[in-house]
């Protein structure tokens, strides 16, 4: 059964929201570099049994494209998540959601600079509606709260991560044509682990370790499978089918899912402003992804 690609594109924001909730909840338990390294190492081990056959069949296809594959790996595997984990050591979930939601706008900017893709009036309206929905959620429906948001070093790390992910999404345009998605993801993870290993070993030398208890191990297992293997495969497919600009708008769902997960897992209650924000975000995604003006 083939699901509509827009329906599949909802999954990465859901899994990434769970990733952020876990990373923030356990920021004092698992060091960020440890979480990044073990996440991707375990993800590679999970993926290899399925990717082994296409890797053997297509390694000659991938080899000439090592420069773009290395860039994609550094931006996504080595960079984005590590930057987010570092940021969540010092910033709040509210600031993290706000800064993460800048990625669709950054994707549009990189698309214009690198691909010369302009923004239509419809896309602009959709972006504004989605951003407004995000602001409603992070300010709890009170615009005066926006002036009270304080930004710190953690916010800068998350902004760097947003830039890294936006550039990755646009540069997927130059991935090797015909390369199997499983092979592509396995190659990116393997390359991305190369710079993470010495960073993790350095972090260990500084005495940053974590306890091998069921909670920490379960968290690493979750981030290795769902936000990593499943989400990346679906995201890459969505970008290939819908383009970076349209797919990027689904990132606005991260604070929506974050609020829902906080309610389910942390016992937080949903309020009217959550509903208003969700409606604005969904309406914005509809304008960018589905709506077509009548040409007659």
């Amino acid at each position: 059964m083939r699901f509509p690609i827009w329906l599949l594109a909802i999954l990465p924001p859901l899994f990434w929201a769970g990733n952020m909730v876990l990373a923030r909840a356990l920021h004092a338990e698992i060091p960020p570099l440890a979480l990044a390294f073990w996440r991707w190492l375990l993800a590679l081990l999970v993926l290899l049994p399925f990717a082994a056959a296409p890797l053997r069949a297509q390694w000659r296809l991938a080899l000439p494209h090592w420069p773009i594959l290395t860039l994609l790996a550094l931006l996504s595997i080595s960079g984005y998540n590590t930057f987010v984990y570092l940021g969540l050591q010092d910033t709040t979930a509210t600031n993290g959601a706000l800064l993460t939601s800048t990625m669709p706008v950054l994707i549009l900017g990189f698309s214009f600079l690198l691909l010369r893709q302009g923004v239509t009036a419809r896309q602009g309206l959709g972006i504004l509606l989605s951003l407004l929905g995000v602001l409603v959620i992070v300010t709890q429906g009170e615009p005066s709260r926006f002036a009270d948001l304080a930004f710190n070093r953690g916010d800068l790390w998350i902004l760097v991560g947003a830039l890294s992910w936006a550039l990755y999404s646009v540069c997927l345009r130059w991935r090797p044509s015909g390369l199997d998605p499983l092979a592509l993801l396995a190659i990116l993870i393997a390359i991305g682990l190369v710079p993470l290993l010495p960073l993790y070993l350095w972090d260990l030398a500084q005495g940053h370790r974590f306890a091998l208890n069921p909670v920490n191990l379960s968290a690493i297992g979750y981030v290795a499978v769902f936000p990593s293997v499943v989400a990346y495969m679906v995201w890459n497919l969505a970008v290939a089918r819908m383009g970076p600009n349209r797919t990027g708008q689904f990132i606005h769902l991260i604070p929506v899912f974050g609020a829902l997960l906080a309610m389910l897992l942390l016992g937080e209650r949903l309020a009217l402003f959550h509903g208003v924000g969700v409606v604005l975000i969904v309406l914005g995604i509809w304008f960018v992804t589905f709506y077509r003006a009548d040409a007659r």
Side-chain angles (χ1 to χ4, degrees):
M1 180 178 180
R2 295 187 61 184
F3 291 93
I5 192 61
W6 64 265
L7 187 59
L8 288 178
I10 294 174
L11 292 178
L14 172 61
F15 295 144
W16 290 332
N19 178 44
M20 294 190 72
V21 169
L22 278 177
R24 180 58 187 170
L26 300 175
H27 76 279
E29 303 295 328
I30 308 178
L33 290 174
L35 183 57
F37 175 78
W38 287 109
R39 166 188 179 168
W40 289 117
L41 181 60
L42 182 57
L44 183 61
L45 295 177
V46 170
L47 185 62
L48 275 180
F50 306 98
L55 280 172
R56 285 194 299 267
Q58 295 189 312
W59 69 270
R60 289 184 180 87
L61 171 63
L63 191 58
H65 300 278
W66 67 266
I68 186 60
L69 291 173
T70 300
L71 176 63
L72 292 173
L74 293 176
L75 290 172
S76 58
I77 308 302
S78 306
Y80 168 64
N81 291 279
T82 305
F83 296 143
V84 169
Y85 292 155
L86 288 169
L88 289 172
Q89 296 293 303
D90 298 305
T91 193
T92 64
T94 297
N95 286 8
L98 176 61
L99 292 170
T100 299
S101 296
T102 63
M103 285 193 284
V105 178
L106 295 172
I107 289 173
L108 289 172
F110 282 126
S111 292
F112 175 76
L113 291 174
L114 300 177
L115 306 178
R116 295 303 176 189
Q117 292 182 356
V119 179
T120 66
R122 172 175 54 83
Q123 287 178 320
L125 177 60
I127 293 166
L128 289 176
L129 287 172
S130 291
L131 283 176
L132 180 59
V134 170
L135 290 175
V136 168
I137 291 175
V138 301
T139 61
Q140 300 182 13
E142 300 179 20
S144 60
R145 287 179 176 265
F146 187 76
D148 298 329
L149 292 176
F151 295 91
N152 55 35
R153 181 177 60 183
D155 300 315
L156 295 178
W157 277 119
I158 291 183
L159 182 57
V160 171
L163 286 165
S164 182
W165 184 259
L167 186 56
Y168 163 78
S169 297
V170 174
C171 288
L172 276 173
R173 172 73 172 269
W174 295 295
R175 69 193 180 282
S177 177
L179 186 61
D180 183 87
L182 291 175
L184 172 63
L185 183 55
I187 291 170
L188 295 184
I189 295 176
I191 296 174
L193 278 168
V194 173
L196 282 179
L197 177 58
L199 289 173
Y200 174 54
L201 294 176
W202 172 82
D203 202 43
L204 280 178
Q206 306 304 307
H208 299 152
R209 292 173 171 80
F210 64 94
L212 298 177
N213 57 49
V215 173
N216 290 343
L217 294 178
S218 297
I220 293 174
Y222 169 82
V223 299
V225 176
F226 293 100
S228 302
V229 177
V230 178
Y232 270 64
M233 287 182 59
V234 172
W235 182 264
N236 292 349
L237 177 62
V239 171
R241 293 276 296 276
M242 295 194 300
N245 289 354
R246 293 172 65 195
T247 308
Q249 302 312 305
F250 285 82
I251 293 175
H252 284 305
L253 290 173
I254 291 177
V256 177
F257 289 133
L260 293 174
L261 289 173
M263 178 191 69
L264 294 174
L265 301 178
L266 305 178
E268 296 183 5
R269 298 178 61 184
L270 292 182
L272 177 61
F273 67 83
H274 289 111
V276 174
V278 169
V279 170
L280 288 170
I281 289 171
V282 172
L283 187 60
I285 291 174
W286 179 73
F287 266 97
V288 174
T289 309
F290 308 107
Y291 176 76
R292 294 291 183 273
D294 194 344
R296 292 175 296 176

